[in-house]
Amino acid sequence: MCYSAQIEADYDKFVRTYGAIISLKRFVELFWEKRKDGGWTKIPKAMREAFRKPHGEEGFELAKIVAEGDRELEEKLKAEHAAQTERLAKAEAVLASPKPTKKAAEDQRIAKKKIKAAERNLDDLLRREPEPDDSRIYPGSYAPVMIEKDGQRIVVPMRYQCRLPGWDEKLERKYPGTYNARRDKLEETWGKLFGHHHGIMIVTKFYENVSRHKMEGRELRPGEEEENVILEFDPQPPQEMLVACLWNMSPHGDHGTDLFSFAAITDEPPPEVIEAGHDRCIIPIKPEHIDPWLSPDPSNLEAQYAILDDRARPYYAHKLAA
């Protein structure tokens, strides 16, 4: 599984390097919807920041939505901080009284934790200097995905968790692992999308959950419990990887707005990823395969498998994620 990844959020680069058009209409719809439904933080900070300065009429609308969405989030975080500060004061008053309670001790612990989280999130929201994690996506968050329509490359914001054709929210909750598509299941589970709806996500690094003992190349010690760690995998030499994806559009699938969603295709990993303790890996395709990948012939799936097999092959250096 690809647990998370750092995406390319420089939209000018999509235009300059790949000749793509940015679907501002879809970005406006998504940003507006996420403001309305409380999912603003599902849009990575780097994606929002890219539209803070307006370009053209639709750009002004996007910049306005970004400013208002961030302001609303700031107000929400400040309200949370105030509520937890009050909760902490009440808990500490009880703990200082002749009759301290377990509930007060628990309230104190939770309030301190939530105060720190609110302060951290506020600092992150108000920070203007970019940091690498601003571009990091997780299952359920959104990323720019390049697709092709009528011979033109287009960049559309999509949710990193694909809602398969015919699915609804209830079925999606039952099968939450559709942010990745196994190569050996492309015709079985993903047959309505493979050969039809192909996309590319540009990634600079990716992250995986692994067991510590597997990362260290050993068996569990007697009495040792399995411990999860997160590894950061960096392609060497450093590069932008054109990650092969499948996507779908569910009409009126996100509170009335069309839901665009996608999955990254994964395959058996190279030796260095196996040695680090993980058993899957994303597939970066070569630049010369962009056009045939984005405009597949559903009657010739072998050509698509050939693209996946003739993949880019950087060396994946790894380290514990910060």
Side-chain angles (χ1 to χ4, degrees):
M1 291 289 190
C2 180
Y3 161 67
S4 64
Q6 282 188 1
I7 58 169
E8 176 58 68
D10 180 354
Y11 299 102
D12 287 338
K13 184 172 291 186
F14 279 102
V15 176
R16 292 191 314 268
T17 306
Y18 301 103
I21 293 174
I22 309 301
S23 179
L24 292 178
K25 177 178 181 291
R26 294 298 179 186
F27 278 94
V28 168
E29 290 176 349
L30 173 66
F31 281 34
W32 178 260
E33 189 63 42
K34 292 302 109 182
R35 267 190 64 200
K36 187 170 64 175
D37 70 9
W40 189 245
T41 56
K42 294 293 185 180
I43 304 173
K45 183 180 177 71
M47 283 184 66
R48 307 197 307 265
E49 289 295 324
F51 295 108
R52 190 171 294 280
K53 294 182 180 179
H55 299 282
E57 186 175 340
E58 283 185 307
F60 275 101
E61 185 176 1
L62 263 173
K64 183 173 183 256
I65 295 172
V66 169
E68 290 174 347
D70 280 359
R71 176 182 52 78
E72 290 165 358
L73 179 58
E74 180 181 357
E75 291 174 354
K76 181 180 177 181
L77 290 171
K78 286 181 176 178
E80 170 72 1
H81 188 277
Q84 295 303 322
T85 299
E86 181 180 355
R87 181 183 186 180
L88 177 61
K90 289 180 179 179
E92 290 182 338
V94 172
L95 292 173
S97 71
K99 295 184 178 180
T101 64
K102 289 183 178 179
K103 180 181 182 304
E106 183 67 1
D107 281 349
Q108 181 192 50
R109 182 188 67 81
I110 294 173
K112 285 182 176 180
K113 182 179 178 180
K114 290 189 173 183
I115 287 170
K116 286 183 179 179
E119 290 173 346
R120 182 175 62 252
N121 290 334
L122 263 173
D123 289 344
D124 188 60
L125 174 67
L126 299 175
R127 169 179 51 78
R128 287 294 170 256
E129 289 299 315
E131 293 185 358
D133 274 1
D134 293 347
S135 299
R136 191 165 169 183
I137 63 161
Y138 300 85
S141 58
Y142 288 78
V145 177
M146 186 164 62
I147 63 175
E148 186 173 296
K149 183 179 181 182
D150 300 326
Q152 174 64 59
R153 296 175 185 176
I154 303 173
V155 177
V156 178
M158 298 190 187
R159 190 188 66 181
Y160 178 41
Q161 180 186 2
C162 192
R163 181 175 295 177
L164 272 65
W167 283 23
D168 56 17
E169 286 186 77
K170 183 178 180 180
L171 191 57
E172 184 179 77
R173 287 194 294 272
K174 186 177 179 181
Y175 302 103
T178 55
Y179 48 91
N180 287 327
R182 290 179 61 102
R183 185 188 184 283
D184 56 1
K185 300 291 185 181
L186 291 180
E187 293 180 65
E188 180 182 335
T189 306
W190 301 88
K192 292 182 179 180
L193 300 179
F194 180 54
H196 301 274
H197 288 179
H198 291 191
I200 289 173
M201 172 178 58
I202 304 179
V203 166
T204 53
K205 60 182 66 175
F206 64 97
Y207 302 80
E208 300 287 7
N209 285 294
V210 303
S211 298
R212 180 177 290 279
H213 70 283
K214 290 183 179 179
M215 177 194 71
E216 295 174 350
R218 60 177 178 81
E219 299 294 327
L220 282 171
R221 301 185 182 100
E224 180 185 11
E225 293 186 2
E226 191 163 339
E227 178 188 359
N228 180 76
V229 295
I230 299 173
L231 292 184
E232 175 183 293
F233 289 90
D234 291 288
Q236 299 298 317
Q239 59 193 267
E240 294 174 345
M241 297 183 290
L242 306 174
V243 175
C245 302
L246 301 176
W247 67 274
N248 187 37
M249 191 277 282
S250 306
H252 314 297
D254 199 1
H255 309 283
T257 302
D258 293 344
L259 172 64
F260 286 79
S261 59
F262 77 101
I265 299 177
T266 64
D267 199 0
E268 299 297 324
E272 69 270 20
V273 175
I274 294 175
E275 290 172 6
H278 200 60
D279 60 357
R280 304 296 298 169
C281 190
I282 53 177
I283 302 177
I285 68 172
K286 293 179 179 178
E288 58 264 33
H289 295 319
I290 292 178
D291 283 336
W293 176 254
L294 292 182
S295 55
D297 178 357
S299 67
N300 186 11
L301 296 182
E302 287 305 313
Q304 304 308 310
Y305 283 120
I307 291 172
L308 297 177
D309 290 337
D310 184 34
R311 67 194 68 177
R313 183 60 184 91
Y315 177 84
Y316 297 113
H318 73 272
K319 63 181 180 180
L320 286 172

